[in-house]
Amino acid sequence: MRRLGVSMLVLALGALGACGGDEDAGEGNGSQGASAKATGTLTVLTNTTLEPAMKEMIASFTEANPGVTIKATYAEGDAGSQTIVTRLRAGNAPDIFYVFAGAGNVNSVQPLAKNGYLLDLSDRPWAENLSEADKLGLGLDGKVYAAPQGVQGITYVYNEQAMTDAGLSPPETWDEVIPFCEAARAKDKVAYAVGYQDQWPAIFIPYALTATLVDGPEPDFAQSVLDGEAEMVDSRWSEALDMTLEMEKAGCFQDSPTGTSYDAAFDLVGKGKALGTVGVTVIADAIRPKAPDGTVLLSAPFPATGNPDETYLSAGPLQINAVSADTENPELAKQFVDYMMEPEQLALTGKLTGYVPPFPVSSFEPKVEAEPLIEFQEVGRTVPIIDQWWPNPKVQEAMYVGVIDMLAGKAEAQEVVANMDKAFDR
Amino acid sequence: MLRGSRVGQLALFLLPAAAFFSFVVLVPSGQGAAYAVTDWDGLSPTKNFVGLDQFLAIRDDDAAADAIRNTLILAVTITIGQNVVGLLLALGVHSQIKLRNVMRVLLFAPIVVLPVAAAYLWQYLLSPDGAINYTLRTIGLAGLAQNWLGDPSLVLWSVSAAIIWQYAGFTMVIFLAGLVTVPADIIEAARVDGAGYLRRFWSIVLPHLGPAITVNVLLTTISGLKLFDQVFVMTHGGPGHASETISTVIYKEAFLNGRFAYGTAMALVLAVFVAIVSFGQYYALTRRNRTA
């Protein structure tokens, strides 16, 4: 996950995920890819987090369709994003590639669709099963241009053994957070590992806090900012940033947080030197290889108030596939996307990667670290990841640079939020 | 007629290189300059002329101001540091020490490492629990262990040190080429006359190194002003904007923030700035060499 930005309407707090939907909402799709006996060659560029599932799906699809060849490459974050855009401009983009929801990234759905780079997928059978909020983020002018392979939520991912050995448990209210950090320090552990050398991971704690402080209680606030009817400084955003600073001063983070890379932070959690880290739940797959065999990684919501029942989770589609409008095999590309969106494949994706299907799938067995996200979806306490509301990537950049400047004593919370407002307008 | 034929032959020889240079350098530079006066986001099929708006936006951009300041600090630090270290290394391996040839190879070796690979290596070395801090703690100097890449007051010096480590060998080689032109008999005569090492260096060796100094200072200044790889890998321009350079801002704005025209405007500003500094430096140094 790098940057997300989408202009969306949250129609209901449980608009995302499995709440209230029919079981196996996508089951009517059938194995269109397998039964069509398609032929041709496809190129796919997707995120490395999807790689385990993508390899399996390609293998099964091509086994059912021997005349099809699918060549996949895998990229991470920014490197993949700017590669996709450069190749789109050059006219040699892969047939299927990953995008972000909304408008806040250079390879987001809306700017690409607006400029004619994406194939309309509105008529695909899985499209009717998307929530209204997803349709807005993954489309433009009433059309759907991308298929969400998985949903993620921002939680506190922690090392169960390390937590147990320290005799601690994740805090359920904000009042417990600082004492939790102090207790961890007393046991020579870090409560919350952070990787701020890479800069962008500084988004996670503020995102987790504002889900509860801002967007949960006021689901229309983000839209009103977008419409120019309110400003970020009018909200509890600066309070969330001050809480982040309070955590740093209380020793919740490891020493030298701005000198530690995100990967090094995963290392700390994997080895048990840190109890956990706040991020999208799928980071458990990045931590696991760094941990001893048998290490169990769990997740818990990150609280922002004194009442755990007030806690909301930031959640949204993060593994999203789109089809190039210039593909030479549009029907084959659509068939493969349809195949990836079949319930069995969504369940497989969830099993192998930690993503949660975008709509209910009965055969889905979540990884243990994804269970809190599913629970919060079922009770309607998720909100879209906030930067999906932002019109451009500069707002997010202003936020995470501001957080790091605050840690260095070079900025105040109000000033950072004012810069975020300024970035809205550019 | 012979002269015309000769000119024609020269032109034929130059043509492929000129064509390649035009295709790879001149045409893209011209296109970039054209984009800089538009509002193009890099995706849209339309580009609207906006005059100097992008350049005025640079003036009002705090990140750009930080980047310009950081770029100048890095360029000056690297130029001075790399040249001083390179000269000292050259003087050392130019002496009659044993294994001087082996030393020359070892000191030049870092230059063949890819800049990105070297940057990742230094990122590890300079991390809070990296080899440098670990060594300091182990030998009882824990107080000297720092947040080398995460402290805004240290990050530029840390990046400079990594770059000087990698390229001092290159500077050394150019100085070595200059040192071999110093007449040994003049050095010997000066020694016989009682001139000490420092006097011989200042009055005889240094003037002969004029051309080598010109080349080294020019190259290190230009590379310092265009710095991207090491900064991007080691710090991503952080913490905050503390190590942002003009090149990293250009990359972020053009390729990550969808402000392609703004990025090309910054690139144009950088190109003009580098050209002015380079020509000015070259003029000053070659003039000095002529009068020396």
Side-chain angles (χ1 to χ4, degrees):
Chain A
M1 170 182 171
R2 171 64 169 91
R3 296 176 185 270
L4 304 166
V6 65
S7 171
M8 296 171 51
L9 253 173
V10 174
L11 300 180
L13 297 173
L16 283 171
C19 178
D22 293 331
E23 286 296 302
D24 282 5
E27 191 157 31
N29 296 347
S31 296
Q32 293 198 8
S35 62
K37 297 297 178 197
T39 59
T41 302
L42 284 180
T43 51
V44 176
L45 173 60
T46 191
N47 199 296
T48 49
T49 54
L50 190 62
E51 185 173 353
M54 181 60 78
K55 284 182 171 171
E56 296 257 353
M57 289 189 286
I58 289 173
S60 55
F61 187 84
T62 52
E63 187 182 345
N65 297 275
V68 172
T69 303
I70 300 178
K71 299 173 188 171
T73 49
Y74 306 96
E76 284 189 23
D78 291 342
S81 296
Q82 55 135 321
T83 300
I84 288 164
V85 173
T86 303
R87 291 178 66 178
L88 282 170
R89 273 193 227 120
N92 62 358
D95 300 302
I96 297 171
F97 49 86
Y98 75 93
V99 293
F100 291 103
N105 193 299
V106 69
N107 67 325
S108 288
V109 171
Q110 289 173 359
L112 292 180
K114 184 177 161 193
N115 290 298
Y117 289 106
L118 303 183
L119 213 57
D120 182 1
L121 300 176
S122 307
D123 62 344
R124 308 319 294 170
W126 46 264
E128 65 193 23
N129 300 315
L130 296 175
S131 67
E132 290 304 314
D134 278 348
K135 281 180 185 172
L136 282 167
L138 301 174
L140 187 72
D141 299 333
K143 297 180 181 175
V144 173
Y145 287 95
Q149 194 74 22
V151 170
Q152 273 292 284
I154 296 176
T155 58
Y156 175 54
V157 177
Y158 64 93
N159 182 324
E160 187 191 35
Q161 277 82 356
M163 191 73 75
T164 305
D165 291 346
L168 297 170
S169 59
E172 294 184 357
T173 67
W174 173 254
D175 304 324
E176 295 172 2
V177 168
I178 304 301
F180 171 70
C181 297
E182 291 167 349
R185 277 281 176 182
K187 305 276 180 157
D188 203 27
K189 301 286 183 191
V190 171
Y192 297 91
V194 294
Y196 290 172
Q197 184 183 63
D198 294 336
Q199 304 244 77
W200 71 270
I203 65 177
F204 287 124
I205 291 177
Y207 281 13
L209 292 169
T210 54
T212 300
L213 296 177
V214 180
D215 303 294
E218 293 181 74
D220 295 333
F221 177 74
Q223 180 67 55
S224 61
V225 175
L226 207 55
D227 293 339
E229 295 163 6
E231 290 187 324
M232 306 277 284
V233 291
D234 300 330
S235 71
R236 298 177 73 178
W237 256 95
S238 57
E239 183 180 340
L241 298 184
D242 278 330
M243 289 161 76
T244 308
L245 184 62
E246 186 183 348
M247 289 179 71
E248 195 268 339
K249 287 182 175 172
C252 292
F253 309 152
Q254 75 277 10
D255 294 338
S256 311
T258 54
T260 308
S261 67
Y262 204 26
D263 190 66
F266 294 163
D267 204 63
L268 292 173
V269 178
K271 291 184 166 57
K273 294 180 184 176
L275 300 179
T277 184
V278 177
V280 288
T281 317
V282 76
I283 60 174
D285 283 339
I287 296 172
R288 214 167 268 121
K290 300 173 185 298
D293 288 343
T295 299
V296 175
L297 294 164
L298 301 175
S299 75
F302 188 71
T305 68
N307 181 352
D309 294 331
E310 292 175 353
T311 301
Y312 283 81
L313 282 193
S314 260
L318 273 187
Q319 186 54 55
I320 307 167
N321 297 310
V323 179
S324 169
D326 287 339
T327 176
E328 291 179 356
N329 291 300
E331 288 311 311
L332 177 59
K334 289 181 190 177
Q335 283 180 26
F336 186 58
V337 170
D338 292 346
Y339 181 67
M340 288 194 285
M341 292 297 288
E342 289 179 4
E344 293 80 14
Q345 306 311 320
L346 291 174
L348 175 73
T349 300
K351 180 182 167 191
L352 295 178
T353 66
Y355 283 102
V356 172
F359 36 75
V361 173
S362 60
S363 57
F364 171 54
E365 293 172 5
K367 287 191 168 185
V368 64
E369 64 265 23
E371 285 172 1
L373 169 59
I374 293 167
E375 286 166 18
F376 270 69
Q377 285 178 328
E378 287 173 353
V379 296
R381 295 227 309 271
T382 60
V383 293
I385 298 176
I386 184 57
D387 61 16
Q388 295 181 3
W389 285 94
W390 296 341
N392 63 71
K394 293 288 284 183
V395 183
Q396 187 196 71
E397 185 187 27
M399 197 274 287
Y400 65 68
V401 167
V403 166
I404 291 170
D405 280 345
M406 284 175 65
L407 299 190
K410 294 167 72 177
E412 302 282 336
Q414 279 285 97
E415 177 191 345
V416 172
V417 181
N419 286 338
M420 292 168 69
D421 273 323
K422 192 174 156 192
F424 255 87
D425 300 326
R426 281 210 185 165
Chain B
M1 198 165 180
L2 187 65
R3 222 159 100 193
S5 167
R6 177 122 175 103
V7 168
Q9 284 175 356
L10 286 172
L12 273 176
F13 274 108
L14 278 173
L15 196 59
F20 183 75
F21 181 77
S22 300
F23 182 71
V24 173
V25 178
L26 295 180
V27 169
S29 299
Q31 281 180 322
Y35 293 147
V37 293
T38 70
D39 62 354
W40 194 42
D41 61 2
L43 283 174
S44 170
T46 59
K47 305 172 188 67
N48 302 308
F49 179 76
V50 294
L52 298 178
D53 283 0
Q54 302 292 0
F55 298 95
L56 294 174
I58 295 173
R59 182 197 59 187
D60 300 330
D61 186 351
D62 290 339
D66 287 342
I68 291 169
R69 186 191 65 243
N70 294 339
T71 302
L72 289 173
I73 291 173
L74 282 169
V76 170
T77 306
I78 292 168
T79 299
I80 294 173
Q82 193 172 313
N83 280 279
V84 168
V85 171
L87 179 58
L88 290 174
L89 291 176
L91 290 170
V93 299
H94 187 61
S95 64
Q96 297 304 310
I97 58 168
K98 275 188 179 179
L99 299 177
R100 61 180 177 276
N101 291 324
V102 173
M103 292 296 299
R104 291 176 185 184
V105 171
L106 288 176
L107 291 170
F108 187 75
I111 194 79
V112 303
V113 177
L114 283 172
V116 170
Y120 274 116
L121 171 68
W122 276 99
Q123 187 189 46
Y124 160 71
L125 290 173
L126 294 169
S127 62
D129 293 324
I132 289 175
N133 280 348
Y134 178 80
T135 303
L136 288 170
R137 291 183 187 117
T138 304
I139 62 175
L141 295 174
L144 294 181
Q146 302 291 332
N147 186 6
W148 302 105
L149 297 177
D151 185 336
S153 65
L154 292 176
V155 63
L156 289 180
W157 312 118
S158 303
V159 170
S160 298
I163 294 167
I164 291 169
W165 168 85
Q166 183 165 21
Y167 294 104
F170 178 77
T171 312
M172 173 196 78
V173 164
I174 295 177
F175 278 130
L176 266 178
L179 284 172
V180 299
T181 67
V182 180
D185 50 351
I186 299 180
I187 296 284
E188 185 59 30
R191 196 203 322 269
V192 166
D193 287 346
Y197 181 84
L198 285 177
R199 167 55 67 185
R200 293 197 305 271
F201 173 78
W202 186 260
S203 301
I204 302 172
V205 175
L206 202 56
H208 279 85
L209 288 179
I213 292 173
T214 300
V215 168
N216 272 331
V217 169
L218 204 59
L219 290 177
T220 50
T221 302
I222 291 173
S223 62
L225 289 172
K226 298 190 310 178
L227 205 56
F228 175 78
D229 305 42
Q230 293 87 343
V231 172
F232 189 75
V233 169
M234 292 171 75
T235 67
H236 301 277
H241 290 306
S243 64
E244 204 81 76
T245 64
I246 299 175
S247 296
T248 59
V249 170
I250 290 169
Y251 166 76
K252 287 178 183 177
E253 292 295 339
F255 296 106
L256 299 183
N257 291 341
R259 300 174 75 191
F260 200 86
Y262 182 72
T264 55
M266 283 210 74
L268 200 57
V269 168
L270 176 63
V272 169
F273 184 66
V274 169
I276 291 172
V277 169
S278 305
F279 282 118
Q281 218 173 44
Y282 181 75
Y283 175 75
L285 289 169
T286 50
R287 191 170 172 220
R288 179 187 174 277
N289 292 339
R290 278 197 294 272
T291 56

